[in-house]
Amino acid sequence: MHLQHYDEKNNVYFITTVTKDREPIFNDELACQLFINLLTYYKIKYSINIKAFVIMPDHIHLIIQSLGEQSISDFMKMLKGNFTRYYNEIINKNCHSKFQRGFYDKIIRNEIQLNEIFHYIHNNPVKRGLVCDPQNYHYSSYKFYYENDSRFKLLLM
């Protein structure tokens, strides 16, 4: 069954997408860098505002807002499809998608909910036992907000 996504310009969404069979492909730093590069590219191309993110070994969480005419569904389809294509070229394999079909989305309705999800995203690596403190996790927007780390400035501004 394919779930429909309710898209409305300017809404803020909490997005979760999971790797195929929960394969921990994002344990590979190259995969993380590629995903960040593509996320930045498609953010600019489709006028998407990325408010927060975390790349976990087998899933990704995003808080995004569509500012343009492109739907969130089309944005995610392009992002995931092109990640798979380029990653397969890099690892010299011809595999099907690296992600499970579809994604989960939830409209964020108010500032309280936004702050709760922000906290959830940044603490996900701690909850999963990957680090003891969110500041020690490299592929998250945490350091951008709390330590003025400019590494993801283009992505998050």
Side-chain angles (χ1 to χ4, degrees):
M1 182 169 112
H2 181 67
L3 295 175
Q4 289 284 24
H5 297 282
Y6 176 74
D7 265 329
E8 190 171 304
K9 190 175 175 176
N10 293 323
N11 276 344
V12 178
Y13 295 88
F14 174 43
I15 304 287
T16 301
T17 190
V18 179
T19 61
K20 187 167 178 66
D21 301 323
R22 289 258 182 199
E23 181 184 351
I25 60 173
F26 292 108
N27 279 336
D28 177 3
E29 191 168 327
L30 183 64
C32 293
Q33 289 292 336
L34 175 61
F35 191 85
I36 291 291
N37 290 342
L38 288 169
L39 185 60
T40 303
Y41 173 77
Y42 285 112
K43 164 217 169 65
I44 295 166
K45 182 175 181 174
Y46 293 128
S47 296
I48 301 289
N49 186 1
I50 309 293
K51 295 186 174 288
F53 76 93
V54 66
I55 301 174
M56 300 293 288
D58 64 355
H59 67 281
I60 294 165
H61 293 301
L62 304 167
I63 297 177
I64 64 176
Q65 180 181 28
S66 177
L67 303 172
E69 299 303 316
Q70 202 69 29
S71 73
I72 299 295
S73 295
D74 289 342
F75 169 75
M76 291 302 294
K77 182 178 179 180
M78 291 300 294
L79 178 63
K80 290 168 36 174
N82 281 304
F83 173 83
T84 295
R85 182 171 67 120
Y86 293 126
Y87 189 68
N88 282 337
E89 285 179 23
I90 290 167
I91 64 170
N92 203 20
K93 285 189 177 178
N94 191 11
C95 304
H96 293 290
S97 181
K98 293 293 182 186
F99 292 94
Q100 289 182 8
R101 189 170 180 210
F103 61 93
Y104 303 98
D105 64 333
K106 177 180 180 178
I107 294 175
I108 299 174
R109 304 209 177 271
N110 56 49
E111 201 70 29
I112 293 169
Q113 197 177 32
L114 177 64
N115 289 332
E116 288 171 353
I117 294 170
F118 215 78
H119 180 77
Y120 173 82
I121 284 176
H122 290 147
N123 283 287
N124 203 232
V126 175
K127 181 181 171 190
R128 298 289 177 166
L130 300 174
V131 292
C132 294
D133 190 304
Q135 71 181 10
N136 297 329
Y137 198 72
H138 296 293
Y139 291 101
S140 160
S141 52
Y142 179 89
K143 286 184 178 186
F144 176 80
Y145 289 108
Y146 300 104
E147 298 179 5
N148 296 318
D149 184 339
S150 63
R151 210 167 27 124
F152 301 122
K153 186 175 182 177
L154 184 59
L155 176 62
L156 296 165
M157 295 301 280

